[in-house]
Amino acid sequence: MGSAGRQQFVSDCGETTSSRACPRGSYDVRPSFAYGGGMSSSTPDQPDPKAGSSSHRATMLRLAALAAVAVPGLDPARLALPQEHSKDLEVTGLIDTQGRHWEVLETSDDVTGAALEAEAEVLRRMGRQVDNGHLSFDVARPGGVLRGSTTYVQVRSHLEGRPISVDALHPGPGLSAGLGRALGELHELPTTVVSEAGLPVYDAEDVRRRWLTLVEEARGTGHVPPTLLVRWENTLKDTALWRFRPVVVHGDLAEENVLTAGGAVVALRGLSQAHVGDPAEDMAWVYSAAPVDCLDSIEDAYDVARREGSDKHLRHRAELVSELSLARWLMHGVRSEDDDIIDDAIAMLQDLDDQVGAEPLVEHSSPRLAPVPGEKEHAEPDQVTAEVAMVQVEEGREGGRRPARAVDPPGAGRQDQDRGRGSGPTLHLVRGEDLTAGHTGH
């Protein structure tokens, strides 16, 4: 998918940053150095058309030799997919003499190396959750590492499966439900899976404040329509929306990172952006990419997998995350001084503003009282509208209570009131119409 910090705009339209007329809520900007975009759909022996140069083949053979050093007992037999090259990352696949399929990753970039190492720690902990039966999908298993003065090499198991095609999802218990279940299971993992790996941990207030900071930075550029700023700020200031339990978040969900086989989700990959935070960050991709008629199936399976039940504001926050990805894309262009990205973000922000206008993201409605049947009668302030009587209650043999006799209402005399105190029978206020029912059968 590119080098560290590379950003890509992905939408329902299936286009990159040239998209101009995508449906509302379809925006997603994802920073990632992830690799393997769709390569898992190929067989291990399929040749790579880009791997024809002798220098590239020499690199792959060198990585295979390094893998044999990094993983005890790994004896390379032949090269395989994936075979990818970018500015900061080299990736090659290999099959060993035992038939095991591995991936070898090499980087000379310190940031990418640190991210790969942190991801490997997450994968080890998630692998134990898989082995314990807590996850229905698999993750790559780190096999070994080599650290040099200028390079970092990591070997991990290859994940079989094809990237999910969200356009091909159908409502019901099949792959749509499988996607919801997988995400629910991911979000139910112990947060120590991420925190102990040294990756970021954000509570609900941290998440809200980070988005507020982004909105303020975007405002400072002068490129965000004022109506969008108001829409976002009102949503971020509505504290009721930001009461959620932080969970393990994938952070880079996309079709190529959700692998399927036999109509089921079999693996997740691309966990370099994993952190503890808002589950809406993952669900934003689901709501923006999945067919509308599949959302109920996804949500139902997701809710079943989550122990705490449904989050009634999850979809609202997910829509906000999707929209704020445009502000993030804009700020990426500003920081990198890339006029093309800035112009692209401005155009998409204007498209979004044209779609939503001044409409609030969350519609708030006042509670409505149900009408009382019957004819309305107006009463004076001092008018008695319902007769109230006192009923003496005696304790029954079985410990229950039964009305004994009607007594005068309070105010009939001080002496009567005094008789109601002390150890005498308890007096209960009841409406006049309940007296007859209370005496039935006595």
Side-chain angles (χ1 to χ4, degrees), residues 25 179-180 183-184 187-188 207 211 235 238-249 253 277-288 295-296 298-306 308-323 361-362:
L179 176 60
L183 294 181
H187 293 167
E188 279 299 313
V207 172
W211 287 127
T235 305
D238 187 349
T239 56
L241 271 66
W242 301 93
R243 296 169 185 159
F244 61 86
R245 176 172 66 87
V247 302
V248 173
V249 176
L253 276 179
D278 187 356
E281 295 175 50
D282 286 342
M283 298 304 288
W285 171 71
V286 173
Y287 290 126
S288 66
L295 293 181
D296 285 344
I298 296 172
E299 287 180 331
D300 290 345
Y302 176 84
D303 290 342
V304 169
R306 295 294 308 276
E308 68 177 15
S310 61
D311 178 350
K312 65 179 181 179
H313 294 302
L314 180 62
R315 187 177 289 200
H316 291 136
R317 296 198 311 275
E319 185 172 357
L320 177 66
V321 169
S322 183
E323 294 182 8
L361 196 148
V362 181

Side-chain angles (χ1 to χ4, degrees), residues 18 30 68 86 166 176 189 246 255 406:
S18 60
R30 300 179 288 106
S86 69
V166 291
S176 292
L189 286 175
E255 288 186 334

Side-chain angles (χ1 to χ4, degrees), residues 323 390 418:
E323 294 182 8
M390 297 295 293
D418 291 339

